[in-house]
């Protein structure tokens, strides 16, 4: 078998898969269609561009996102190393300078003697040879895969794709924030006080909700249509992913819904009053220069003029300069429970693998993690070994188990949560009432199982 591996996609999963396979001695052809062809959401042609937020989630010990990243670090995850090296202050979360992060990933890819970069669009998938002289093809083209590639993947799988709609948060110029009206704090004082908090009174919140729910939305574009195109455009409303709802959609579900979501004030004591505000918007640092901040959880689908009007009702942002407005884009993913096995190979076409958001994982960290596994599995296969799935006890194994064993009729992309991991034994659950202690035990078990698995590779 050839030792060449073809990787399609230069987002997060693709570069990590390429680097893992290259580190194992495989020759890798990495394809990225940008800048020859861009997407509706990308702004650059950079590798590993972070399209939505700049956060890779919690670094608090014994949380599910922390566990996933700990497993990745222990496995030598290249992109997580680059994320750590380009981290910006974000309290107890890992957030990165987008530009610096992409630059490090690009430099690492270009420096690898085993990786050949192709800046061209892959138009079709050839199941007869998995792409020229490649032994395997890893498809990590992301939720905005080109129409030609998406159509050929649909032909190859023989199954219709599902689609949901994901959103992008706005970014403001730091110099345009009225610092007299805001304060720095981390929720519950966990980590350093790196977030800017914009506090609302009850009257300010109610006025904001009224304006938000009445604001004019952007009309659905042709590229946002579901696979059943014309029928979908006529009869099916936008199907948002529940884990990333636009704020105006959340607000329509109840007047206080945002106060229990992205505008939750709990744990954010205002030093000027000594109390929690009625509601609060948090701003997270975008880059190392700290000259821009994104509105955490404030993805939306409003017209730009409406965004400027409504978001300037946020205390401290009355004169905000927006460097980027919120946007929405269609995300596509395969029906993994029907199509994939736990080594990310297509059941009917095992010389093709799917990684990243296209496989049904949701989130930056999860996408990198799936790319890391795909690279490890692919290298094992071309080197003549049988790939061993990650153990069920681990965060990686539980994530892979979910996307490949979820109930087929209700499958939606998933972030890593403790709900995906095997629960503790019933007797142990009865003995240990404290949830944090239960999670600590689950993390200890996961890291031990991860270490044992790594020894088998």
């Amino acid at each position: 078998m050839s030792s060449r591996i073809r990787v399609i996609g230069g987002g997060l999963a693709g570069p990590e898969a390429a680097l893992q396979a290259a580190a194992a001695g495989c020759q890798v052809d990495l394809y990225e269609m940008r800048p020859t062809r861009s997407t509706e959401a990308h702004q650059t042609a950079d590798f590993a561009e972070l399209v939505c937020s700049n956060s890779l989630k919690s670094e608090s010990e014994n949380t599910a996102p922390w566990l996933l990243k700990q497993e990745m670090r222990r496995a030598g995850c290249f992109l997580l190393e680059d994320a750590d090296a380009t981290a910006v202050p974000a309290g107890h979360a890992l957030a990165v300078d987008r530009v610096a992060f992409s630059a490090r990933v690009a430099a690492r890819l270009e420096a690898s003697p085993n990786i050949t970069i192709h800046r061209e669009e892959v138009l079709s998938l050839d199941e007869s040879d998995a792409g020229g002289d490649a032994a395997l093809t890893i498809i990590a083209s992301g939720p905005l895969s080109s129409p030609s590639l998406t159509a050929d993947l649909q032909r190859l799988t023989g199954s219709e794709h599902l689609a949901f709609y994901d959103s992008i948060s706005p970014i403001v110029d730091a110099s345009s924030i009225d610092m007299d009206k805001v304060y720095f704090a981390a929720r519950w004082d966990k980590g350093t006080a790196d977030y800017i908090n914009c506090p609302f009174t009850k009257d300010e919140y109610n006025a904001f909700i009224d304006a938000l729910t009445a604001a004019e939305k952007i009309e659905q574009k042709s590229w946002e249509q579901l696979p059943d195109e014309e029928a979908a455009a006529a009869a099916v409303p936008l199907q948002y992913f529940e884990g990333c709802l636009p704020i105006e959609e959340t607000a329509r579900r109840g007047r206080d819904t945002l106060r229990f979501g992205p505008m939750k004030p709990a744990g954010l004591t205002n030093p000027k009053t000594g109390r929690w505000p009625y509601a609060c918007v948090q701003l997270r640092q975008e880059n190392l220069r700290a000259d821009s901040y994104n509105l955490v959880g404030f993805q939306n689908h409003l017209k730009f003029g409406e965004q400027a009007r409504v978001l300037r009702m946020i205390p401290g942002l009355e004169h905000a300069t927006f460097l980027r407005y919120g946007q929405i884009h269609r995300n596509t993913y395969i029906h993994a429970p029907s199509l994939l096995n736990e080594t990310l190979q297509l059941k009917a076409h095992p010389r093709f693998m799917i990684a990243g958001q296209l496989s049904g994982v949701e989130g930056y960290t999860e996408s990198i993690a799936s790319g890391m596994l795909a690279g490890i599995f692919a290298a094992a296969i071309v080197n003549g070994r049988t790939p061993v799935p990650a153990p069920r006890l681990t965060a990686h194994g539980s994530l892979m188990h979910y996307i490949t064993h979820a109930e087929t009729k209700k499958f939606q992309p998933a972030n890593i949560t403790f709900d995906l991991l095997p629960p503790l034994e019933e007797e142990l659950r009865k003995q240990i009432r404290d949830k944090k202690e239960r999670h600590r035990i689950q993390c200890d078990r996961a890291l031990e199982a991860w270490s044992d698995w790594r020894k088998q590779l």
Side-chain angles (χ1 to χ4, degrees), residues 4-322:
R4 295 197 74 85
I5 295 171
R6 178 174 63 161
V7 178
I8 304 173
L12 295 172
E16 181 64 33
L19 289 163
Q20 290 291 335
C26 303
Q27 296 297 310
V28 180
D29 292 297
L30 175 60
Y31 289 83
E32 169 53 49
M33 68 179 184
R34 293 173 294 130
T36 303
R37 182 190 182 105
S38 191
T39 75
E40 296 78 9
H42 286 89
Q43 295 185 328
T44 75
D46 297 341
F47 286 111
E49 179 185 342
L50 301 183
V51 173
C52 298
S53 81
N54 66 330
S55 174
L56 276 71
K57 299 182 185 171
S58 178
E59 284 281 64
S60 294
E61 191 172 2
N62 295 326
T63 61
W66 172 86
L67 174 61
L68 185 66
K69 288 195 284 289
Q70 287 299 103
E71 292 177 1
M72 293 164 73
R73 289 184 176 109
R74 296 185 184 197
C77 177
F78 295 104
L79 265 66
L80 192 55
E81 182 180 321
D82 291 333
D84 288 333
T86 56
V88 298
H92 59 93
L94 172 60
V96 304
D97 181 315
R98 299 171 196 259
V99 175
F101 172 66
S102 291
R104 282 185 65 97
V105 174
R108 193 187 287 275
L109 291 168
E110 290 163 0
S112 173
N114 289 346
I115 297 176
T116 302
I117 296 171
H118 303 266
R119 289 284 190 170
E120 60 187 83
E121 181 183 1
V122 176
L123 298 173
S124 64
L125 302 167
D126 183 357
E127 55 265 58
S128 64
D129 63 1
D133 60 351
L136 285 170
T137 292
I138 299 174
I139 307 167
S141 47
L144 291 172
S145 300
S146 70
S148 296
L149 185 61
T150 300
D152 212 44
L153 179 59
Q154 192 167 9
R155 175 195 60 78
L156 181 67
T157 60
S159 173
E160 288 192 355
H161 286 98
L162 304 177
F164 65 90
Y165 294 85
D166 204 356
S167 307
I168 297 173
S169 294
I171 296 175
V172 298
D173 186 328
S175 66
S176 67
I177 301 170
D178 186 346
M179 300 305 293
D180 291 333
K181 294 187 176 182
V182 301
Y183 60 97
F184 281 91
R187 196 178 300 278
W188 305 111
D189 295 323
K190 293 175 68 175
T192 54
D194 298 322
Y195 287 79
I196 292 177
N197 296 274
C198 305
F200 284 74
T201 64
K202 183 176 182 179
D203 288 344
E204 288 170 337
Y205 176 79
N206 284 328
F208 178 76
I209 294 299
D210 288 339
L212 179 63
T213 53
E216 191 174 358
K217 295 170 61 175
I218 295 174
E219 294 180 5
Q220 183 177 357
K221 300 180 180 67
S222 60
W223 63 269
E224 292 181 310
Q225 293 173 5
L226 297 173
D228 191 12
E229 295 162 357
E230 304 222 348
V236 182
L238 295 182
Q239 296 182 347
Y240 297 113
F241 173 47
E242 288 294 321
C244 196
L245 285 172
I247 54 169
E248 69 274 13
E249 199 70 21
T250 302
R252 291 188 182 94
R253 297 186 174 190
R255 193 160 196 86
D256 288 325
T257 308
L258 282 175
R259 290 207 310 122
F260 292 92
M263 296 181 70
K264 184 177 180 180
L268 295 172
T269 303
N270 187 338
K272 298 174 184 177
T273 65
R275 300 189 301 273
W276 297 348
Y278 186 77
C280 192
V281 171
Q282 288 198 301
L283 310 181
R284 181 173 53 225
Q285 187 175 325
E286 262 291 310
N287 54 30
L288 293 169
R289 297 188 305 276
D291 59 7
S292 59
Y293 282 76
N294 67 69
L295 280 65
V296 178
F298 257 57
Q299 59 275 353
N300 68 84
H301 198 208
L302 303 178
K303 289 187 174 182
F304 289 176
E306 291 287 81
Q307 286 188 52
R309 179 180 65 83
V310 175
L311 297 181
R312 285 182 181 136
M313 296 177 68
I314 297 172
L317 300 188
E318 292 87 351
H319 304 289
T321 298
F322 290 92

